[in-house]
mmCIF file of all heavy atoms in Angstrom:
data_model
loop_
_atom_site.group_PDB
_atom_site.id
_atom_site.type_symbol
_atom_site.label_atom_id
_atom_site.label_comp_id
_atom_site.label_asym_id
_atom_site.label_seq_id
_atom_site.Cartn_x
_atom_site.Cartn_y
_atom_site.Cartn_z
ATOM 1 N N ALA A 150 1.135 -72.309 -2.464
ATOM 2 C CA ALA A 150 2.203 -71.847 -1.563
ATOM 3 C C ALA A 150 2.207 -70.329 -1.393
ATOM 4 O O ALA A 150 2.819 -69.817 -0.460
ATOM 5 C CB ALA A 150 3.564 -72.307 -2.093
ATOM 6 N N ASN A 151 1.533 -69.607 -2.269
ATOM 7 C CA ASN A 151 1.532 -68.141 -2.237
ATOM 8 C C ASN A 151 0.567 -67.647 -1.170
ATOM 9 O O ASN A 151 -0.573 -67.307 -1.454
ATOM 10 C CB ASN A 151 1.156 -67.570 -3.608
ATOM 11 C CG ASN A 151 1.236 -66.063 -3.644
ATOM 12 O OD1 ASN A 151 1.948 -65.444 -2.858
ATOM 13 N ND2 ASN A 151 0.488 -65.470 -4.558
ATOM 14 N N LYS A 152 1.038 -67.594 0.058
ATOM 15 C CA LYS A 152 0.194 -67.183 1.194
ATOM 16 C C LYS A 152 0.197 -65.675 1.412
ATOM 17 O O LYS A 152 -0.767 -65.123 1.899
ATOM 18 C CB LYS A 152 0.681 -67.869 2.478
ATOM 19 C CG LYS A 152 0.755 -69.376 2.395
ATOM 20 C CD LYS A 152 -0.609 -70.008 2.424
ATOM 21 C CE LYS A 152 -0.473 -71.511 2.542
ATOM 22 N NZ LYS A 152 -1.260 -72.227 1.604
ATOM 23 N N LYS A 153 1.319 -64.996 1.069
ATOM 24 C CA LYS A 153 1.456 -63.575 1.395
ATOM 25 C C LYS A 153 1.431 -62.666 0.184
ATOM 26 O O LYS A 153 1.039 -61.522 0.284
ATOM 27 C CB LYS A 153 2.777 -63.342 2.142
ATOM 28 C CG LYS A 153 2.895 -64.072 3.461
ATOM 29 C CD LYS A 153 4.156 -63.683 4.183
ATOM 30 C CE LYS A 153 5.363 -64.342 3.554
ATOM 31 N NZ LYS A 153 6.600 -64.143 4.264
ATOM 32 N N GLY A 154 1.888 -63.153 -0.947
ATOM 33 C CA GLY A 154 2.066 -62.293 -2.105
ATOM 34 C C GLY A 154 0.763 -61.801 -2.695
ATOM 35 O O GLY A 154 -0.215 -62.534 -2.756
ATOM 36 N N PRO A 155 0.770 -60.558 -3.188
ATOM 37 C CA PRO A 155 -0.440 -59.968 -3.769
ATOM 38 C C PRO A 155 -0.591 -60.271 -5.257
ATOM 39 O O PRO A 155 -1.441 -59.699 -5.918
ATOM 40 C CB PRO A 155 -0.209 -58.472 -3.554
ATOM 41 C CG PRO A 155 1.279 -58.330 -3.693
ATOM 42 C CD PRO A 155 1.846 -59.587 -3.064
ATOM 43 N N TRP A 156 0.217 -61.187 -5.785
ATOM 44 C CA TRP A 156 0.308 -61.359 -7.225
ATOM 45 C C TRP A 156 -0.708 -62.358 -7.769
ATOM 46 O O TRP A 156 -1.030 -63.354 -7.151
ATOM 47 C CB TRP A 156 1.705 -61.838 -7.604
ATOM 48 C CG TRP A 156 2.776 -61.116 -6.867
ATOM 49 C CD1 TRP A 156 3.180 -59.827 -7.069
ATOM 50 C CD2 TRP A 156 3.577 -61.620 -5.802
ATOM 51 N NE1 TRP A 156 4.180 -59.500 -6.197
ATOM 52 C CE2 TRP A 156 4.447 -60.592 -5.410
ATOM 53 C CE3 TRP A 156 3.657 -62.846 -5.150
ATOM 54 C CZ2 TRP A 156 5.372 -60.751 -4.403
ATOM 55 C CZ3 TRP A 156 4.564 -63.000 -4.149
ATOM 56 C CH2 TRP A 156 5.417 -61.955 -3.783
ATOM 57 N N ASN A 157 -1.147 -62.091 -8.987
ATOM 58 C CA ASN A 157 -1.926 -63.049 -9.766
ATOM 59 C C ASN A 157 -0.909 -63.889 -10.536
ATOM 60 O O ASN A 157 -0.223 -63.388 -11.421
ATOM 61 C CB ASN A 157 -2.865 -62.312 -10.729
ATOM 62 C CG ASN A 157 -3.603 -63.272 -11.625
ATOM 63 O OD1 ASN A 157 -3.999 -64.354 -11.215
ATOM 64 N ND2 ASN A 157 -3.792 -62.878 -12.872
ATOM 65 N N LEU A 158 -0.788 -65.159 -10.198
ATOM 66 C CA LEU A 158 0.201 -66.047 -10.819
ATOM 67 C C LEU A 158 -0.527 -66.974 -11.775
ATOM 68 O O LEU A 158 -1.296 -67.839 -11.356
ATOM 69 C CB LEU A 158 0.943 -66.832 -9.739
ATOM 70 C CG LEU A 158 1.589 -65.970 -8.638
ATOM 71 C CD1 LEU A 158 2.238 -66.841 -7.583
ATOM 72 C CD2 LEU A 158 2.589 -64.996 -9.242
ATOM 73 N N SER A 159 -0.252 -66.804 -13.069
ATOM 74 C CA SER A 159 -1.004 -67.528 -14.084
ATOM 75 C C SER A 159 -0.050 -68.135 -15.106
ATOM 76 O O SER A 159 1.110 -68.385 -14.800
ATOM 77 C CB SER A 159 -2.026 -66.580 -14.734
ATOM 78 O OG SER A 159 -2.968 -67.305 -15.488
ATOM 79 N N PHE A 160 -0.515 -68.368 -16.325
ATOM 80 C CA PHE A 160 0.253 -69.116 -17.309
ATOM 81 C C PHE A 160 0.285 -68.423 -18.664
ATOM 82 O O PHE A 160 -0.595 -67.641 -19.000
ATOM 83 C CB PHE A 160 -0.325 -70.526 -17.480
ATOM 84 C CG PHE A 160 -1.757 -70.506 -17.961
ATOM 85 C CD1 PHE A 160 -2.056 -70.523 -19.313
ATOM 86 C CD2 PHE A 160 -2.812 -70.460 -17.059
ATOM 87 C CE1 PHE A 160 -3.367 -70.474 -19.759
ATOM 88 C CE2 PHE A 160 -4.131 -70.419 -17.487
ATOM 89 C CZ PHE A 160 -4.400 -70.416 -18.848
ATOM 90 N N SER A 161 1.299 -68.758 -19.446
ATOM 91 C CA SER A 161 1.425 -68.373 -20.847
ATOM 92 C C SER A 161 2.139 -69.541 -21.523
ATOM 93 O O SER A 161 3.345 -69.514 -21.717
ATOM 94 C CB SER A 161 2.235 -67.086 -20.987
ATOM 95 O OG SER A 161 2.352 -66.734 -22.338
#
Side-chain angles (χ1 to χ4, degrees):
N151 184 24
K152 305 286 188 229
K153 298 185 285 186
W156 317 287
N157 175 37
L158 306 177
S159 194
F160 61 90
S161 180

